[in-house]
Each structure stands twice: as C-alpha cells, then as structure tokens.
Amino acid sequence: MWWKDKVTILKGIGAKKAEELAAVGIFTVGDLLEYYPRQGAYLDYSRLKKIKELDMDGTKQVFRGEVYGVRNGYGSSRRAYTVVTVRDETGYANLYFFMGQRYAAKKLKNGMELIITGRVRPGRTQAKSVSEVTVQAADEENHAPGIVPVYALAGNLTQNNLRKWVAEALKLAQQELPESLPQNIVEECHLQNRLTALQNIHFPISWEALAQAKHRFVFEELFLLQCGLLYYRQQSHDSREGIKHGADGTLLKEIIANLPFVLTPQQQKAWQEISLDMQDKKPMHRILQGDVGSGKTVISALALAKAKENGYQSCIMAPTEILATQHYQTLTEYLEPFGVHVGLLTGGMRTKARRNLLLELELGMIDVLVGTHALLEEDVRFANLSLAVTDEQHRFGVEQRARLANKSQNAPDVLVMTATPIPRTLALTVYGDLDISVMKGRPPGRKPVQTLCYTDERRREVYAGMVRQVKAGRQVYVVCPLIEHSEAMEAHSAENVFAELKADFLQDIPCALLHGRLKGAEKEAIMEAFAAGEIKVLVSTTVIEVGVNVPNATLMIIENAERFGLAQLHQLRGRVGRGSEQSYCVLLTSADNPDSLARLQVLHDSEDGFYLAEKDLELRGVGQLFGLRQHGLPDLRIADIMRDTETIIEVRRLAQRQLQRPNAWQELRALVDMQFGGRFGMIFNT
Ligand code: ADP
Ligand code: MG
C-alpha cells in the first residue's frame, strides 16, 4: 500500500528534499500524513488581527506586520536572544527569538511583510511583547484562503513545500485508506472516519471540524495504546497460576510489634491492600506510590517476610548499588533477628562470593535476595520465588520487571515501589491494570524541611551556614547540575564547587566529591563514609537523588536550582529531613527571570510531591518529566496525558470491552502495530 512507500513517489520530492524530510522523521508517505501541524498552529486568514487588537493574555494569536528593526541582546544568565520589531498602522510589537529560533530571525530584513503567530503579552515599552514566535513571509500566503496549517520546519523546507506534498498525499488517501479503528468503535463514539479526520487535521474546513479531527486521533492513539497494554498484560498475568499466601501469622505479628515505631494509618492501609493481594490466588500486580520519606521500605519488608512465612523466597531490585546496599542493611535489621535470611547480589561481586550466594539461593537457604539489575541474569535461580519487588520503578522498564517475574514457575506476586508521584491519569495509562496503593505525607515526629531560595550573590553566606551546621555535628549535601565545567552551559559544576570549597570553607572539614563517572566501588565507599559520618560535606551531582537515607544530614544546598524540574528538586530535598533535627534546603539560583523564581517559590510553599508533580507537568509539560519511554512505552504523538484525562478514562473502558469480543485481538493487533510501528509487541513479548 502507498502508505508505506517512500515520499519520493510524490510529485516534487526528489532525493534532496527527501533527505530534508528524513531529518524531521518523515520517510514514508504515511509519515508525512502523520506529520500533524504544530500544536494549535493554524493560521486563520479570515480573521487576522491588527496589532492594536491583540489580546495580551498570553494566548496564541496570528497577525500581520512589517519588519521595522532587528537587534540582538542578552537576557538572564547571558542567554542570547534576537528581538525583531514589527509594525502595522495601529502599533508596534517586539518578537523575541531565543536559542535555535534565532536562526529564523536572521533571515528577516527591514520592510519585509510577515504573518506572525505567537503569544502576546504587554511589553516593557509601548510595543507588545511576543514569544514562541513563528513567522513567514506574507506573500507566501496570498493564495491560501481560510484555515491553513503551520508545520514545524527544518533545513530548507518551507510551509508551502509541506502543504503541497501533504495535499498530494491526501489525494492518494482519497483513493484508498483503510480505517485504523474498529468500525463499531468509530460508529458508537461518533468519531470522524479516518479520511475525513486526516483531511481536517491538515486542511480543516472549520474550527469545529478540526477539533473533531484532533479528538479522533487522540482517541485512536489512546485507545490502541490501552488495547495493547491490556492485552499484553492479560497475557502475562493469565498464562501462569499465581501463588496463594496465608493470612498474617506470628512471624509478621512479631516483626510489626518489634518495629521501632508504630505504622501510620497510611502505611497500615497500604499493608492491608498488599497483604490481601498476596493471599489471593490471582498474582498481585500492585504499585506502591509513596512520597520520599513516606516509609515504603518497611512495607516492603513486611511483604518479603510474608513470603518467608509461607515458605517462599522473595527478591527486591533497586536501580543502583548504593540503594541496594542500603536496602540490604535496613532489611537485615528488620528481618534477620526473626530468622529471615537476607542476601545481597550486586554487579561488582567477586566470582567466588557470587557463586556461593547463587548456590545458597538455589538451595533455598536465602529467603530474601536484594540486588541491582544483577538479579536479572540468567544464572540467578530461585528455589521457589513468590514475590518480586522493584524499588524506584521509573528507572526500570516494563521488560525488566517481566524478566524478574519470570524467575518462578508460577506467576509471583509483583510489587512496584515508586517515589515519583505519578498523577492518576498517567498511572492509568502507563500501568494499565495495575492496582495502586498511595501513601501521602510522612511519618510523625519529622519536621518539615525549611526551604529557602537565594540568588547567587548570597552563596558565601550560605556556605558560612553550611560550616555552622557541620560545627553543630550535622552533615551537608551540595548538589550541582554538572560534573565538570562546560562551555555550553553556564552553571556551577560539582568539580569546580568542590575545588572552591576545599580551598576555602572546607579547609579543615572532611568532604568528598561524588558523581556518576566514579566506579561503583568508589561511589559506594564515599556513600558509606558519608553515612558513617566520616565525611561531613558531600558535593555531588544528582546521583544522590534516589533513596539514600542519612538522617544526620540536615542541610542540602542546590546550585543552579533553576536547572532542575520541581519533581526532581523535591526528590533531592527528600534526602534531608530524615532525622529528628530541623532540616533545611537552600536553592541557589543565578536566574533572575520571574518565571524561574516563581517556579522555585512553589517548592518553598509545598512539600507535597503529588502537588509538585502536577505543577511541574503544568509548567514543563509531560514529556520533560514522565517521558513514557522511561516506562518502556512508546511516545505519544498527539495525545496528552494531562489534558486528555477524560478520553483516557473513556477509552480504557471501551478497550476492556472490545477485547472481550471473539477474536478481538486478531483485528486489534494489526491496528496496534500500525499505530506504534510494531514496537509494542516487542516490549511485552519477553
Ligand atoms: P521511603 O518511602 O523514602 O523509602 P523510608 O522507608 O526510607 O522512606 O523511610 C524514611 C524514614 O522514616 C526511615 O528512617 C524510617 O525508619 C522512618 N519511618 C518509616 N515508617 C515510620 C513510622 N511509621 N514512624 C516513624 N518513622 C518511620
Ligand atoms: Mg526508598
């Protein structure tokens, strides 16, 4: 079918143009038709505004203007920009171009007539200020009536090129275009058929038709994603029998009674849910979502003990050696006194020790195996595994989780722990039919971390405060966005900060530098020395982001805080405030633009990871933070997990129902593969 043919079959596309299209990911005619206009970027020539009429509330608008001046400048953190002033008979507007976009501005000359789209706000002078600008020569448009698409461009491609070729491709579609959703769904949900939707997403006959076309493609993408997820999950769930654990017995009662604290109501509820799942014949598939410091580890300890109580083995996998080691220590403390044997398997182990450990595992002498990815290796064999826990799951792919679960004849119970607060809609999409337990807040007796935000001018004061904390017997983290100095990025590097501090504030204070390029053993030695209190100040990159628990650390200084996402800052901050002392987090920033400062202010105001995650999504978009790829899923082309909540809920129900029809998967599989380029099955068929 023509859909898969190279773009060169279209009139006007030769080898050269094909190469340029390839640079934006378009290889086939189908790719071209799926190269939808940029989000919201259509020009409506039937209603071009005058500059004076533009709304200044930051919404995207289209207007016409003549270039009146071009100049370059530097903004905060010496970020270069180009400003282009345009005018019409009613007023002036300044168009701001940053970074890569400055290229587009360079081509502009005084007197050129432009069609401009962008977000308009009041400017500092009379001229209005326009950001996220796209421009094109007005004459290019003379022939184009009504609503016209605006595509993302690269190289020498022009809007006219793309419009012409897409129109060509649509002619092919008119002759032959199979539906990409089940017919019953299209009818029942009153969706535009595929051809109509394709035509309208490129050349809408009205705004209403465009909205419907978009809805149809969002629906399609989410529906097929959900069908694929549900199908493959069903497969992996139902092919093997689950393991039924008994009700909590003496071992568990003893462990719980001997904990140094009382479980919070949130923890009790989570434990009850997990415990009941484990007692069910059906394999557990549960995710335990708890904010940093909410006390997930003890809950996992109970689950692991429950496996032992029922005569089974269990394992827990962590993303780094440091974390695995820490879990090993904690679990040993909780469990060994009650006769539960805990083992540790990491990548760096010596051959002989490793061989012994694996032998003990096969003989059933080890009850709980803690480890890193090393657990996934072929020769790691359990005698009878009934529970697989993964910690900080967003670092593992779906595939790895499945490989772990495959280490048992029967389907083991699976518990996924994550500190990333995932908004519910995303969880529904990513985890399909996983059950969710949520623990919010933190255990009692721990004071909230005080968060302060300073500009770089006050760094030395902050460092002096650091020395005071150390003198008071506490420990400090200093986190930097980079390992070493970089020309490309104006930010403090861990190496520089470390050298600077060592020569000055930290002359007589034991300190160390930690980053991802150190060997595993080196990192571990440093972390251990820090945990033992031998090292007082740890200068590091974000390698300490996940899970590390040093209750005596009471101050975290984050350099260039504007470079991090809110959720990430929150994770980092979670490393302090783990003991009974008051803890502080100081955000240093060189940014002086109000947006960055407002963003950091949110962190000052809230310690609720879920709230911050939602805010981060709002401010930075879903791609930044929760790239679906991290979860082992394909990226979405047009759907937006935050925006399309209602559709997600609707398609989930429909997908469940559709899959129950006889031979449903035969039809759906082809559609799912077409939508996701066949990548889907690969992920799940492991
Ligand atoms: P996370 O959810 O980040 O993994 P941890 O399990 O590491 O959190 O727990 C953080 C700290 O809180 C640990 O020092 C742990 O001993 C403590 N803790 C856990 N549960 C409670 C509780 N119910 N009461 C008091 N302290 C608790
Ligand atoms: Mg943890």
Side-chain angles (χ1 to χ4, degrees), residues 261-264 267 291-297 443 446 549 578:
F261 44 74
V262 186
L263 294 180
T264 64
Q267 284 172 317
D291 211 344
V292 274
S294 61
K296 294 182 293 296
T297 317
R446 293 173 50 192
N549 194 20
R578 305 195 137 235

Side-chain angles (χ1 to χ4, degrees), residues 442 447-451 573-574 576-577 582-585 607:
R442 35 173 64 217
K447 301 190 182 93
V449 178
Q450 296 242 20
T451 304
R573 178 171 63 179
V576 294
Q582 176 61 56
S583 289
Y584 305 88
C585 176
E607 269 210 274

Side-chain angles (χ1 to χ4, degrees), residues 506-548:
L506 298 182
Q507 266 172 4
D508 317 310
I509 294 175
C511 53
L513 174 64
L514 181 75
H515 56 70
R517 275 197 223 139
L518 297 178
K519 292 213 184 69
E522 278 177 275
K523 270 191 279 190
E524 223 160 299
I526 293 174
M527 259 338 284
E528 257 164 44
F530 188 68
E534 289 153 21
I535 292 172
K536 300 297 179 193
V537 177
L538 191 63
V539 180
S540 84
T541 55
T542 54
V543 286
I544 53 138
E545 181 184 341
V546 206
V548 184

